[in-house]
Amino acid sequence: EAGVAQSPRYKIIEKRQSVAFWCNPISGHATLYWYQQILGQGPKLLIQFQNNGVVDDSQLPKDRFSAERLKGVDSTLKIQPAKLEDSAVYLCASRGTSGTYEQYFGPGTRLTVT
Amino acid sequence: QKEVEQDPGPLSVPEGAIVSLNCTYSNSAFQYFMWYRQYSRKGPELLMYTYSSGNKEDGRFTAQVDKSSKYISLFIRDSQPSDSATYLCAMSYNQAGTALIFGKGTTLSVSS
């Protein structure tokens, strides 16, 4: 079974620029999560999708972050404009149908904002 | 007070040692408790999963949950250099796909 795919793996941008990250979850997984992991911290949820609907985006800084999941499969997370404090690893995770609990994480995209 | 507290370490032990990793939490509504292992430059992977209080053993790993004290532990027996990683505790309110609340992670180094 192929894992969660993310791209790019690394990105360096200047502050005020925009950036987009892509995630392809495990096939058939209905639930998709985006987490932000700042250096030395645990992952923090940004947004959760169930199929292509948003379940929880309460911690997403909506003035600069946006996310979509078209057709309930791939997802894109965008930051515009980026700030220095957005430097972090952005992790995508997916989870199967109800009755399963495990979230499978991708390798993450490491963003550096200079 | 953060919902989940975890000592970030680092923790260094010799090969073969018993390792104890711990987390405390403040919200008694947490029901599901997990330990994830994260190697450098990789995403977290699930190591242990426990529902409510009690112990669970899987090979060299034992997870303990004490809900009365709001305290969870992960024990690693006969530690190996391949166990060198960051260990993240995580919790959730239900099994229905709610996002996980993570601790900061403890960095473990096992020397041969």
Side-chain angles (χ1 to χ4, degrees):
Chain A
E1 178 180 69
V4 176
Q6 290 188 248
S7 67
R9 291 295 313 276
Y10 305 92
K11 190 75 176 178
I12 301 174
I13 62 171
E14 295 181 352
K15 60 184 179 183
R16 291 187 289 273
Q17 287 187 325
S18 62
V19 64
F21 313 127
W22 173 83
C23 173
N24 181 233
I26 293 173
S27 178
H29 280 195
T31 309
L32 185 147
Y33 312 81
W34 282 101
Y35 288 88
Q36 179 192 57
Q37 186 174 23
I38 293 172
L39 185 65
Q41 304 286 326
K44 184 188 81 171
L45 179 74
L46 291 174
I47 189 166
Q48 177 183 346
F49 292 94
Q50 180 72 20
N51 296 308
N52 59 349
V54 175
V55 173
D56 183 357
D57 64 355
S58 59
Q59 298 189 83
L60 187 73
K62 299 181 185 62
D63 58 335
R64 298 184 300 106
F65 286 65
S66 64
E68 61 181 6
R69 189 182 185 195
L70 300 176
K71 301 180 181 179
V73 182
D74 293 6
S75 178
T76 302
L77 177 69
K78 296 179 182 178
I79 307 175
Q80 182 179 11
K83 292 185 175 182
L84 296 176
E85 59 261 37
D86 297 332
S87 294
V89 175
Y90 291 85
L91 293 161
C92 179
S94 70
R95 176 181 167 273
T97 55
S98 60
T100 64
Y101 53 82
E102 183 170 358
Q103 295 183 23
Y104 294 84
F105 284 83
T109 296
R110 183 176 298 271
L111 174 68
T112 301
V113 182
T114 62
Chain B
Q1 181 189 13
K2 290 182 70 69
E3 280 194 287
V4 180
E5 299 278 3
Q6 183 176 8
D7 185 341
L11 184 61
S12 296
V13 301
E15 182 175 358
I18 296 174
V19 176
S20 173
L21 305 169
N22 312 293
C23 287
T24 59
Y25 62 95
S26 57
N27 193 333
S28 58
F30 287 132
Q31 296 284 343
Y32 297 86
F33 305 91
M34 285 142 276
W35 286 93
Y36 277 80
R37 179 173 61 194
Q38 186 173 26
Y39 289 113
S40 181
R41 310 276 176 177
K42 303 284 189 182
E45 57 178 343
L46 183 65
L47 197 59
M48 297 288 285
Y49 169 89
T50 310
Y51 168 67
S52 194
S53 285
N55 293 358
K56 186 173 184 179
E57 187 173 323
D58 184 2
R60 297 185 294 110
F61 299 90
T62 299
Q64 289 186 351
V65 175
D66 181 349
K67 290 194 69 181
S68 62
S69 301
K70 299 191 181 68
Y71 188 87
I72 70 170
S73 301
L74 177 71
F75 297 95
I76 307 174
R77 291 183 299 280
D78 188 25
S79 56
Q80 303 294 309
S82 58
D83 295 328
S84 298
T86 296
Y87 291 80
L88 298 153
C89 63
M91 308 176 189
S92 67
Y93 304 107
N94 58 51
Q95 195 175 319
T98 308
L100 301 175
I101 310 298
F102 283 89
K104 282 186 176 182
T106 300
T107 299
L108 171 67
S109 176
V110 181
S111 57
S112 56

